[in-house]
């Protein structure tokens, strides 16, 4: 697995396992940020 990439409020990790492609780990969040991540999570296996 590659090293996580910094994103606003946390990190994005390319997990690339069956049913678990991408994961966002947030240390801070708000409704607008979660809504934006939800809109980007169009492929199955993306966890936020």
């Amino acid at each position: 697995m590659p090293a996580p990439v910094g994103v606003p409020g946390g990190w994005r990790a390319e997990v690339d396992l069956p049913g678990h492609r991408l994961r966002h780990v947030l240390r801070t969040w708000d409704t607008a940020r979660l809504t934006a991540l939800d809109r980007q999570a169009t492929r199955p296996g993306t966890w936020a």
Side-chain angles (χ1 to χ4, degrees), residues 9-47:
W11 300 270
R12 181 185 73 231
E14 302 284 337
V15 179
D16 205 23
L17 294 172
H20 189 179
R21 183 182 67 81
L22 178 72
R23 177 180 285 199
H24 288 90
V25 179
L26 303 175
R27 57 182 161 71
T28 61
W29 60 273
D30 57 42
T31 303
R33 185 170 296 151
L34 290 178
T35 299
L37 284 174
D38 184 54
R39 288 185 179 139
Q40 293 172 10
T42 58
R43 291 181 53 198
T46 302
W47 298 9

